[in-house]
Amino acid sequence: MGNRSNRRPTPAAAIRARYAERLRDPREWVRLLRGSVDIRKLVSGLLKVYRAKSQQENGLPARLATALGEARIPVTVLLAKGDNAAIAFRDAWAGPAFEAARAKAGIEELDSASHSFASVGDKQWLFEQILKKLS
C-alpha cells in the first residue's frame, strides 16, 4: 500500500468538479441516502474547497496569470481535460486574475487524464500541436 504523504493533494477545482459530477448522478444520491458515503471525507473535501478559495490570491495561479499576461510571445497552454492540475488551471483561467492572459494566450485541450500525455495517441496530439505552433 502506498504512503499517502507522497501523493500530491487534489486541487480544489478538481474536487468541485468531482462533486458536481456526482450531484448529477442519481446513483450517488441513493448511496448518500443509504449511508454509503463517508461523511468525514465529504466534509474534508468541502473544507478544502473553501480554504483554497481564500488562498488563491497570492498562490501559483496568481503568479502564472501575471506571467502570461506580461508575455511578449504567443503562448498556447496544452491541457489534458481530465487531469486534476488541468481542471484547477481551467478553473483559475476563468477568473479575473487571468483576464490579461486570456487576451494574449490560448488553450488547446485533449480528452485525456494524462498530464504527461503518456499514451501513443496523447503523444501524437502533443507532437501535432507543437508542429502547428512552430509552422
Side-chain angles (χ1 to χ4, degrees):
M1 195 174 280
N3 183 349
R4 295 193 91 191
S5 63
N6 291 335
R7 291 195 293 176
R8 287 189 342 218
T10 304
I15 294 170
R16 279 194 306 277
R18 193 174 309 129
Y19 284 152
E21 183 180 322
R22 287 181 175 174
L23 284 172
R24 290 188 295 270
D25 184 352
R27 290 176 296 199
E28 292 297 322
W29 285 96
V30 171
R31 282 187 63 229
L32 180 65
L33 294 172
R34 288 186 176 161
S36 301
V37 174
D38 184 342
I39 298 298
R40 282 185 291 185
K41 194 172 179 181
L42 175 64
V43 170
S44 173
L46 293 173
L47 286 173
K48 182 175 184 171
V49 169
Y50 173 75
R51 287 186 201 120
K53 279 294 185 188
S54 63
Q55 296 171 353
Q56 204 169 21
E57 288 91 34
N58 300 318
L60 178 61
R63 295 192 314 266
L64 182 57
T66 299
L68 289 174
E70 294 172 355
R72 294 185 177 160
I73 60 171
V75 175
T76 301
V77 179
L78 303 176
L79 299 175
K81 285 182 185 180
D83 174 61
N84 285 342
I87 293 169
F89 177 82
R90 197 49 139 140
D91 184 62
W93 178 261
F98 279 87
E99 187 173 348
R102 286 191 301 269
K104 293 183 174 186
I107 291 179
E108 295 290 336
E109 294 181 292
L110 175 66
D111 191 14
S112 172
S114 175
H115 67 269
S116 62
F117 305 102
S119 77
V120 173
D122 291 359
K123 288 176 185 173
Q124 182 62 37
W125 178 84
L126 179 61
F127 182 71
E128 290 168 3
Q129 296 303 310
I130 293 169
L131 283 181
K132 185 172 30 172
K133 296 303 174 184
L134 291 176
S135 59

